[in-house]
Amino acid sequence: MAVVAAHAGVSGQTVSRVVNDSPRVDPATRARVEAAMAELGYRPHRAARALRTGRSRTIGVVAETLATVGNSALLQAVAEAAEARGYALAVVTLGAAGRIGEAFDRLHDQGVDGAIVLNEASALARDADPAGLALVVVDAPADPRFAVIGTDHAAGARAATAHLLDRGAASVHHLAGPAGSFAAAERERGWREQLAARGLEAPELRRGDWSAASGHAAGRRLAADPSVVAVFAANDQMALGLLRALAEAGRRVPEDVAVLGFDDIADAAEFRPPLSTVRQDFGALGEQAVRLVVDRVEGLDDQTQDPPLLTPVLVVRASS
């Protein structure tokens, strides 16, 4: 740091302020110091800085799996938002055992400042002690021990179901996500509420595990039922499997069966036919999660209330 200071013609304290992203540095001076750092190949020593400041500038992320498209998309958004704030990530997946307490212990061992729990793992967070971690949980009921953020899944499901009914369907079947998932339960709730608002009884639902293979398995049973004329799938991957099952059964989409998914993954518009869906803003969700956990770490969050749910958007394409 002293060499950088001499090279840039500034004090060591100024270099320290630049390294720690202090606002108390003139932009021209900051640019000169950063140019000197780049020229000399200087890199701040994260471990040493953590010892000095008591913070590692590392955020932990806990996910049940990264195999689902939704989890991967949200992790990408979190990674981009963390990088923009100068934070690194430490990612822990739960695997089959699903012991979130052990995940928190591993993050403590890595010295993270706070953590974000993604989607399906949120159900386990209710039964584990975060042990002092500044914690943000995505898609979970309110809890005084941590901040909760998420998408208004029920509102998205109501909009999806209303769209399918408005296009003339006598009823709407539901291909639900796994039991125990908060997001899946909220999407199922919105589907049931919209049917009830129209005076309709909810038909028996089929359940998958978010994968296209599970959507295909459930879709074969739905395709064999002539009363099925519209299906709201709880995510786009299961909708993909459903589309295959309907095609194999000779049932046309949308002429015989209208199909609508949830998430608006990157390839949804490339399905055959292009998939109508409910778009989640993963970028905004990741930014919100990182902002909230960093604010808690840095003492900028009053922790009096959770932020409002993000509103999803209905995207109509050829499948409905």
Side-chain angles (χ1 to χ4, degrees):
M1 191 175 289
V3 173
V4 171
H7 193 77
V10 299
S11 68
Q13 186 178 39
T14 297
V15 176
S16 177
R17 287 172 178 165
V18 171
V19 167
N20 290 290
D21 202 27
S22 169
R24 296 168 57 196
V25 182
D26 176 76
T29 302
R30 181 185 299 277
R32 192 163 73 252
V33 172
E34 289 175 343
M37 290 167 61
E39 184 177 343
L40 296 172
Y42 173 81
R43 296 290 184 275
H45 193 287
R46 186 175 294 273
R49 184 166 61 185
L51 287 172
R52 186 177 67 255
T53 65
R55 293 206 297 265
S56 66
R57 296 189 71 82
T58 301
I59 299 170
V61 177
V62 180
E64 188 172 59
T65 177
L66 296 179
T68 62
V69 176
N71 281 1
S72 295
L74 184 52
L75 177 61
Q76 177 68 29
V78 167
E80 292 173 357
E83 181 180 9
R85 288 177 175 264
Y87 277 74
L89 292 188
V91 181
V92 177
T93 55
L94 300 181
R99 297 188 180 96
I100 197 167
E102 293 181 4
F104 288 153
D105 289 343
R106 289 161 63 188
L107 292 176
H108 269 296
D109 290 343
Q110 295 181 59
V112 304
D113 295 329
I116 299 169
V117 179
L118 305 187
N119 302 333
E120 292 80 18
S122 68
L124 302 173
R126 299 194 296 271
D127 301 320
D129 182 5
L133 277 176
L135 195 62
V136 174
V137 179
V138 180
D139 288 338
D143 192 300
R145 297 172 302 157
F146 45 73
V148 174
I149 65 168
T151 297
D152 193 340
H153 301 284
R158 286 192 294 270
T161 306
H163 167 73
L164 293 170
L165 293 171
D166 289 344
R167 71 173 297 279
S171 187
V172 176
H173 285 69
H174 185 40
L175 176 47
S181 164
F182 179 81
E186 286 295 286
R187 293 171 196 180
E188 178 185 338
R189 178 171 71 85
W191 165 70
R192 292 185 183 279
E193 287 176 351
Q194 186 59 45
L195 288 175
R198 302 288 185 100
L200 299 171
E201 184 177 346
E204 179 185 2
L205 61 76
R206 301 291 180 180
R207 194 174 294 281
D209 62 6
W210 299 128
S211 70
S214 71
H216 179 257
R220 292 176 65 181
R221 295 189 292 273
L222 289 165
D225 183 349
S227 71
V228 174
V229 295
V231 181
F232 164 48
N235 80 334
D236 292 345
Q237 290 297 107
M238 291 194 298
L240 175 60
L242 170 63
L243 289 174
R244 177 189 166 197
L246 292 168
E248 291 171 345
R251 303 197 67 184
R252 300 168 301 163
V253 177
E255 292 84 356
D256 302 323
V257 183
V259 175
L260 198 149
F262 204 109
D263 285 339
D264 195 25
I265 63 174
D267 295 330
E270 308 305 323
F271 289 6
R272 185 174 181 183
L275 182 66
S276 294
T277 185
V278 178
R279 177 181 296 152
Q280 283 202 83
D281 191 340
F282 290 110
L285 202 58
E287 169 60 32
Q288 189 181 71
V290 170
R291 176 187 58 77
L292 200 54
V293 76
V294 168
D295 283 353
R296 290 195 159 208
V297 166
E298 298 182 354
L300 302 176
D301 176 33
D302 62 14
Q303 303 186 24
T304 57
Q305 61 181 2
D306 293 327
L309 296 175
L310 297 177
T311 303
V313 177
L314 180 67
V315 179
V316 178
R317 299 191 179 103
S319 70
S320 66

